[in-house]
Amino acid sequence: MPGAALLIGNEGNGLLPGTVAAADKAVRIPMAAGVESLNAAVAGGVLLWHFREV
């Protein structure tokens, strides 16, 4: 996929709204109730695994 980028926000707040608005697509990792956040490195690993064949 030419020109693709994976942007990962910080653990507590994610990306700035303007950054998300500038993206063509946005995805979120579903979280169980009571879970505050994923570590950004873990979230990146999960997303890279999910999109490994794109």
Side-chain angles (χ1 to χ4, degrees), residues 6-12 29 37-50:
L6 177 63
L7 305 174
I8 300 174
N10 68 36
E11 285 95 352
I29 298 173
S37 66
L38 283 178
N39 173 279
V42 172
V46 169
L47 291 170
L48 287 172
W49 180 85
H50 180 76

Side-chain angles (χ1 to χ4, degrees), residues 17-42:
T19 304
V20 176
D24 293 330
K25 297 191 186 261
V27 298
R28 294 182 179 268
I29 298 173
M31 303 285 286
V35 175
E36 183 178 324
S37 66
L38 283 178
N39 173 279
V42 172

